[in-house]
Amino acid sequence: YPWFTDWGRDTMISLPGLFVTTGRADLARSVLSLFAAHLDQGMLPNCFPDDGSAPIYNTVDAALWFFQAVQAYVDATGDVSLLEEVFPALEGIGAWYEKGTRYGIHVDPHDSLVTQGEDGVALTWMDARVEDWVVTPRKGKAVEINALWYNALTALARFGKRLGKPHENYADMARRVGLSFQRYWNEPAHALFDVLDGPAGPDPAIRPNQVFAVSLPDSPLEPAQRRAVVDTVGRALLTSYGLRSLAPGHPEYRGRMTGDRVARDGAYHQGTVWTWLLPQYALAHFRAYGDRDEALRLLLPMRDLQRAMALGTLPEVADGDAPHAPRGCFAQAWTVGETLR
């Protein structure tokens, strides 16, 4: 708020915290059912336009976040009837991603990883565009997409087993993805490549997307790799209010999100701090080190941030450079939901 409408990616990331954690199971169920009914070619709508026109399908990760939202809901409520209702839709997502859908989204048969992208589009959450300029294109095998893909397959295996349906093939494919995920390991940097098999080869830029390979319920990384990712992200990207979208020192780093639209959107995912990623980092830290007190301590600055722009809610972004002034919209569903979760 004030300038965003209802977006699929935002909804699925926000729903567990906003509805499940707060005990609004009926609202969570209705939203999950609604979005399941709007699946098309294995894709969830990126947004429903305000003018009532047809939904827009131009995101690679909304459908994969859908698995996480369903899992959070079912784990909290035990509502097997909802799981039975949406399970065919979840299987359909997996099938479409395997055979291929819009914008080059498909599973590479050589390594079972999801690749995506076409010129002129930005399909991951780093989706800033200015006219024909795609600021952060990330064409290829983006690291968080395949962390989500791995978790979608492990979720399908669990869901199928719970419903008494065939599920072994999902577990087998998850194992293949887990083995291939080692391709992301960048030993000299003690971090993960941000994108593999892109036009310029593996991208070693230190971005926060790698944290999802640790923070999501199932990690394809070895324990030492998880700790290394948390440590590298902590050194390069962690601020009081969230994670920078790109490490300082990178030639494309932009430390302040100010100026005209071109300047602001040019900094949006090129150094700007995203507040919704602070809870993800705290969770990754906990999964890597098992220190609950330290993980909760990381979230303490949210107490101050909820007074920064609009009382009782949390803003979208902050500057990458100190003093990390809050920017963007003043009430961001992802940040509020993830913090509550």
Side-chain angles (χ1 to χ4, degrees), residues 85 94 103 111 119 125 156 180 191 201 220 227 307 323:
E85 176 187 329
Y103 302 112
D111 59 12
D119 292 341
W125 78 276
L156 272 174
S180 294
R227 292 190 292 272
R307 301 180 181 90

Side-chain angles (χ1 to χ4, degrees), residues 185 189-191 223-233 235 289:
W185 181 245
H190 281 248
Q225 291 174 324
R226 295 174 211 166
R227 292 190 292 272
V229 166
V230 168
D231 292 348
T232 298
V233 169
R235 285 192 301 270
Y289 285 102

Side-chain angles (χ1 to χ4, degrees), residues 7-35:
W7 290 61
R9 175 191 298 118
D10 307 40
T11 296
M12 295 307 140
I13 292 171
S14 308
L15 184 146
L18 293 181
F19 290 165
V20 177
T21 297
T22 57
R24 299 179 174 93
D26 55 337
L27 294 177
R29 195 185 205 284
S30 66
V31 171
L32 292 171
S33 295
L34 173 70
F35 271 87

Side-chain angles (χ1 to χ4, degrees), residues 6 27 43 59 110 137 155 172 180-181 192 276 287 296 314 325:
D6 39 0
L27 294 177
M43 297 178 70
T59 168
H110 294 100
D172 289 342
S180 294
F181 203 89
L192 302 180
W276 78 282
R287 294 194 190 283
L296 289 172
L314 294 164

Side-chain angles (χ1 to χ4, degrees), residues 24-310:
R24 299 179 174 93
D26 55 337
L27 294 177
R29 195 185 205 284
S30 66
V31 171
L32 292 171
S33 295
L34 173 70
F35 271 87
H38 283 87
L39 274 166
D40 187 84
Q41 298 182 39
M43 297 178 70
L44 225 61
N46 196 26
C47 66
F48 294 95
D50 286 339
D51 62 10
S53 57
I56 298 171
Y57 296 86
N58 60 347
T59 168
V60 62
D61 53 347
L64 301 177
W65 280 111
F66 185 49
F67 288 84
Q68 294 305 305
V70 170
Q71 181 164 287
Y73 171 82
V74 173
D75 286 350
T77 65
D79 186 355
V80 178
S81 65
L82 184 277
L83 184 57
E84 289 175 336
E85 176 187 329
V86 302
F87 188 72
L90 297 172
E91 287 196 301
I93 294 169
W96 272 102
Y97 271 53
E98 276 200 75
K99 69 181 180 181
T101 184
R102 300 175 178 89
Y103 302 112
I105 299 169
H106 69 278
V107 170
D108 184 339
H110 294 100
D111 59 12
S112 300
L113 299 177
V114 172
T115 188
Q116 53 81 38
E118 292 179 356
D119 292 341
V121 296
L123 304 176
T124 73
W125 78 276
M126 290 188 164
D127 57 358
R129 288 185 57 182
V130 182
E131 305 305 333
D132 294 330
W133 176 35
V134 178
V135 181
T136 316
R138 305 183 71 227
K139 184 179 180 181
K141 298 168 182 172
V143 63
E144 83 281 10
I145 300 307
N146 281 292
L148 285 163
W149 174 234
Y150 177 76
N151 276 265
L153 293 167
T154 57
L156 272 174
R158 282 193 294 272
F159 294 159
K161 185 176 183 180
R162 185 166 186 173
L163 296 174
K165 298 179 182 294
H167 60 277
E168 293 84 359
N169 58 321
Y170 299 123
D172 289 342
M173 191 162 187
R175 281 191 286 272
R176 294 197 298 274
V177 172
L179 290 172
S180 294
F181 203 89
Q182 285 298 315
R183 294 187 57 213
Y184 284 100
W185 181 245
N186 181 358
E187 176 62 30
H190 281 248
L192 302 180
F193 288 110
D194 190 57
V195 180
L196 294 177
D197 300 339
D203 181 2
I206 301 299
R207 293 187 183 273
N209 305 302
Q210 60 189 297
V211 84
F212 295 105
V214 186
S215 64
L216 288 168
D218 298 308
S219 175
L221 299 176
E222 299 294 332
Q225 291 174 324
R226 295 174 211 166
R227 292 190 292 272
V229 166
V230 168
D231 292 348
T232 298
V233 169
R235 285 192 301 270
L237 305 178
L238 181 64
T239 72
S240 298
Y241 294 153
L243 299 182
R244 295 182 180 96
S245 44
L246 183 63
H250 191 283
E252 296 180 11
Y253 174 79
R254 302 291 180 268
R256 297 189 68 203
M257 194 181 129
T258 57
D260 61 16
R261 183 193 166 201
V262 174
R264 294 196 313 274
D265 284 358
Y268 208 30
H269 300 107
Q270 298 293 80
T272 295
V273 168
W274 284 77
T275 53
W276 78 282
L277 295 174
L278 187 61
Q280 285 287 338
Y281 179 80
L283 186 55
H285 192 286
F286 175 73
R287 294 194 190 283
Y289 285 102
D291 188 337
R292 175 182 169 85
D293 290 340
E294 175 62 16
L296 289 172
R297 187 191 67 78
L298 289 164
L299 296 177
L300 289 178
M302 292 300 192
R303 296 187 305 186
D304 298 325
L305 196 58
Q306 68 172 329
R307 301 180 181 90
M309 294 181 75

